[in-house]
Amino acid sequence: MFANILALRPKGADWLFSAKTFAAAVLALFIALAFDLDRPVWAMATVYIVAHPLSGVLASKALYRVIGTIIGAVAAIVMVPNLVNAPVLLSLALALWVGGCLYLSRLDRTPKSYLFMLAGYTAAIVGFPCVTDPGIIFDTAVARVQEISLGIICATLVSHIIFPRHVGPVVAARIDGWMGDIADLAKLSFDAGSDPEKLHQDRTRIAADIGELHGLSVHLGYEKSRFAGRTRQLQALQSAIAALLPVFFAVHDRITALVDYSGSIPKDLRAILDDLAIHMATGHYDGSSAQALHARIAAYGAEFSNASEWDGLLQLNLCNRLHRLLNFYSDCCRLWDGVRVDNVPVDVVDRWRDSAQERALHRDYGVAFRSGMTAVIATLLVCGFWIMTAWPTGGAAAMMAAVGASIMSFLDNPVPALKSFIRYTAMAIVVVIIYSLAILPGIDGFPLLVMAFAPYFLLLGVLMTSPQTYGFGLAMLVNVVMILNVDTSYSSDFATLLDSGLASLAGFAVAALVTAFVRSVTVDASIRRLVMSNWRDISAIARGTLRLPRMVMIRRLLDRQGLILPRLALAPDHRDTLIRSMPEVSIAASIYDLHRFKALADQRIATKLDVVLRNMARHFDNRRRDFGALPDPVILDEVDNILREVVAISPTPLRAKLLVPLIALRRALCRAGAPVLDRRADKAFVPDLPPLIGETA
C-alpha cells in the first residue's frame, strides 16, 4: 500500500476533488453542530462515503443511500422495541435482515444495490446501540436519517455547484474511443492473416468497455449534463456494441476458413470487405452507403444460393454474417448519432430494449446466498459473545461485524480487503489518539478545528482518487471521523475511545474470519463459475427449457465474458478458457436459430436436429463435470449428415435459413476443439466437410 501511495502522482483535478469533499464535510459538520444533532460525525463521514469525482455517480449513490437508510431505520424501529426482551431472537432478526438485504444487493448490478446494502446494515447501526435503552430507538433512527441526509445534501450541492464534473462528457469520450476500436477490429477481422493475439486483445478490450459503459450510463439520470436522462438509449447502444463481437468473430472465422480451403479471398469479395472497413471507419450513420453495401453483399451471395461445395457454403454463410454486421453497426451509429443530438430513433431503441434490461446480465445466486449467510453468521457470533459476556461495547462490535460482512461482499475474496481494513482501522486509532490527546485540547472554536483537520483530510482525500489507494484513504478518513466523535464540546475519555476502537476491530475481525470460511472463493473458482453458468444456459437453450430472446441470450453470455476479463490478470491460466468462450457464443446463437427453423423443416430433418440439440445439451452438461471436455466428434458427424440433406434440397428460403446456423455451428464446434473423425483436413483446426457434399476425397 505504501508503495502505491509513494507512486501516486496526483493531478490538479485530484486536489480539487479532495478540497471539494473536505469543504462539503466541514459544511455538514458545521450544520450538524449548529443544530446540536445527536451524532454530527455521521454527517461528516457520509460525505466521504458517498464522495466521487463524477457528480452523477455521487448523486445516484446518495439518493439510494438516503432511501436505504430510511428503510433500515424503520426496520430497526420495528424490531428493537418488540424483541428487546428476547436478545437471542432480536439478534437473529437483525442478522437475518442484514443477510437478506445483502443477498438482494448482490443480485442487483445497478446503483439500487447500494439501497439494499444500506437498508441492511443501517438497521444494525441504529438497532444494536439501542438494545440497552430501547426507548431512544426512534430518536436514534431519526438522527441517523437526518445526519445521513445532511451529509448527502452537502456532498451533492458542493459537487454540482463547484466545478462539477459530469458523467456525460466522460461517457461521450469513451464511446468515441470505442467506435474507433470497432473500426480497428473490423480491419483485423476482415484479414485472414491478422495476428490472433491482437484480435483477442481487441475483442476482450471492447468486451470490458461494454461493462464500463453500463456502469457509467446508469448514473446519467442524476445529473444535468447534455446526456442527462439518456440512460435507456445508451444501454441500447451498449447491447448493439455487444452484439457486434460474436459477429466479428464469425466473419473472421469464415474468412480464415475460406482462405484455408481455397487459398485466397475472391477479388469481388475482397472489394466488398475493403469498402465495408472504410464504411465502418467513419463512426457515423450513412444510410445510402449502408444500403449500397447491402445490395452488393446480396448480389454476391446470390451466386452461391445453389452452392453444394464447401467454399460456396462458406461464402454464403459469410454474406449472411456481413449483412448482420452491417445492420448492427448501423444501429450503433444511429443510436450514438441520435444520443448526441437528443433525437434517437425510437424503433432502434425498441429493437435493443430487451437485451438492455437486467435479465440480460449475469446473476450469481449462489454467491449472493453465501454473502448473506456470511453476514448472518458473523453478526450472530458477535451477538452471542456480547450476550454471554455483557461486553459494554458489544453493540458496536456487532454493528461493525454486519458492516464488515457487507461492504466488501462484491469481491471474489473479501478477506484480504477486510484484513487491510482492520490494519487501517488500527492505524486510524493511533491518529485518533494523537488528535484527542495532543491537538483537540488546544482547539477553541470551529475555524481552528477546520484548520487542524485540513492537512490530514486534504492529503487523505487525494488518495481516494486512485483505485490503488482508495480503500486506504477512505478507511483512514471515515474511521478517524467516527471514532473521534467530534461534538459541540470537547471531552477526552481515552478508555472509551480505545474500547470503541477495539470493538470496531473485533467486529471486522469476526467478519473476516467468517468470510474466509463461508464466502471466499478463489479467482480461479470464480472464473469457473462464470464459465459454467454459460454452459448451464447453453444446455438449457438446447433443451428448450430456457426461453430468452436471441439478443438477450447473447448479451448475457458476453456479459459473463466481461466479468471474466478483469480476473484474468490474477488467473492467466484461464486465458484459453476465455478464447474458447467466443465460439460458445456462436454455438448458442446457432442452437437458438436451429430451434426456430426446426418447425419449418420436414420431419426427417427435424428429428435429426432434435438429436443434435440433445447431444449439445448433454455435452455442456458434461463440461460442468469435466471442465476441459471437448465436443463429442459424433456431434460433428450428426451436423454433417444434416448438412448433406439440407444441401440436397432445392434452393428455397428454408434451405438458406437452415444452412446458416448449421455451418455456423459446425465452425464453432471445430473452433471449440471438436475432434475430426476420419476425414481429410487442410488444417487440423479447420476441417473440411465430408466428400458427400461434393469434395474429392
Side-chain angles (χ1 to χ4, degrees), residues 53-197:
L54 299 176
S55 57
V57 177
L58 186 153
S60 66
K61 191 176 180 182
L63 174 65
Y64 287 116
R65 184 174 179 85
V66 170
I67 297 173
T69 298
I70 293 173
I71 295 173
V74 170
I77 291 172
V78 170
M79 285 186 277
V80 172
N82 291 305
L83 299 175
V84 70
N85 293 322
V88 174
L89 189 57
L90 175 59
S91 299
L92 180 61
L94 283 171
L96 288 173
W97 173 264
V98 175
C101 289
L102 184 58
Y103 172 79
L104 295 176
S105 174
R106 291 293 293 120
L107 290 180
D108 195 300
R109 291 175 55 197
T110 70
K112 289 199 299 291
S113 65
Y114 199 51
L115 183 157
F116 296 120
M117 184 186 296
L118 260 294
Y121 69 68
T122 294
I125 291 174
V126 173
F128 284 126
C130 297
V131 168
T132 55
D133 188 3
I136 65 170
I137 183 68
F138 184 79
D139 292 337
T140 302
V142 170
R144 173 77 179 174
V145 173
Q146 286 178 334
E147 287 147 8
I148 293 295
S149 300
L150 173 60
I152 285 170
I153 291 170
C154 291
T156 304
L157 285 176
V158 171
S159 176
H160 281 73
I161 293 174
I162 302 176
F163 301 110
R165 187 183 175 201
H166 295 304
V167 177
V170 176
V171 170
R174 298 284 174 84
I175 294 176
D176 283 335
W178 298 336
M179 295 299 282
D181 290 341
I182 289 170
D184 292 339
L185 181 58
K187 292 178 183 177
L188 289 172
S189 299
F190 297 161
D191 182 2
S194 294
D195 179 11
E197 183 63 28

Side-chain angles (χ1 to χ4, degrees), residues 14-37:
D14 299 331
W15 286 107
L16 177 62
F17 164 76
S18 181
K20 287 169 59 177
T21 306
F22 180 63
V26 167
L27 176 62
L29 180 63
F30 176 78
I31 295 173
L33 291 172
F35 285 89
D36 197 22
L37 297 184

Side-chain angles (χ1 to χ4, degrees), residues 231-419:
T231 296
R232 183 168 174 264
Q233 292 90 333
L234 284 170
Q235 287 179 338
L237 173 60
Q238 176 190 3
S239 293
I241 293 174
L244 284 172
L245 289 179
V247 185
F248 271 129
F249 177 87
V251 166
H252 180 72
D253 175 74
R254 306 307 183 269
I255 291 172
T256 302
L258 187 59
V259 170
D260 286 340
Y261 184 84
S262 58
S264 64
I265 297 289
K267 183 179 177 180
D268 290 345
L269 178 58
R270 182 73 268 167
I272 291 174
L273 294 173
D274 291 342
D275 289 345
L276 183 55
I278 294 171
H279 173 79
M280 299 183 75
T282 63
H284 298 283
Y285 178 65
D286 184 343
S288 59
S289 174
Q291 289 178 4
L293 282 167
H294 273 304
R296 290 173 61 188
I297 295 168
Y300 185 83
E303 300 176 16
F304 305 100
S305 59
N306 260 345
S308 60
E309 300 275 345
W310 183 226
D311 63 339
L313 294 174
L314 282 174
Q315 293 184 75
L316 181 65
N317 189 273
L318 175 59
C319 288
N320 173 274
R321 290 299 182 259
L322 291 177
H323 279 304
R324 180 169 290 174
L325 179 66
L326 188 53
N327 283 333
F328 289 175
Y329 180 75
S330 294
D331 279 357
C332 289
C333 291
R334 293 179 68 191
L335 285 166
W336 183 220
D337 290 346
V339 166
R340 282 185 289 200
V341 299
D342 196 19
N343 185 24
V344 184
V346 176
D347 62 316
V348 181
V349 176
D350 288 344
R351 185 153 52 241
W352 296 98
R353 180 177 55 195
D354 284 342
S355 57
Q357 295 175 350
E358 286 187 37
R359 61 176 179 162
L361 302 179
H362 170 70
R363 289 182 175 183
D364 194 324
Y365 292 91
V367 168
F369 177 78
R370 289 203 301 274
S371 296
M373 284 303 300
T374 297
V376 171
I377 295 171
T379 305
L380 287 178
L381 285 176
V382 176
C383 286
F385 182 79
W386 177 23
I387 292 170
M388 288 187 295
T389 62
W391 185 16
T393 53
M399 174 181 72
M400 296 312 292
V403 173
S406 300
I407 59 175
M408 302 297 181
S409 61
F410 64 93
L411 299 172
D412 290 330
N413 182 8
V415 175
L418 287 171
K419 288 181 178 178

Side-chain angles (χ1 to χ4, degrees), residues 448-499:
L448 285 178
L449 179 66
V450 173
M451 292 176 63
F453 278 158
Y456 178 82
F457 281 77
L458 288 172
L459 180 61
L460 270 294
V462 170
L463 299 183
M464 291 178 60
T465 61
S466 170
Q468 288 75 29
T469 56
Y470 173 83
F472 176 81
L474 181 64
M476 292 297 291
L477 286 166
V478 173
N479 279 313
V480 166
V481 169
M482 295 302 297
I483 299 174
L484 199 56
N485 197 22
V486 174
D487 211 332
T488 50
S489 60
Y490 170 74
S491 63
S492 178
D493 186 344
F494 180 77
T496 300
L497 285 175
L498 185 60
D499 203 21

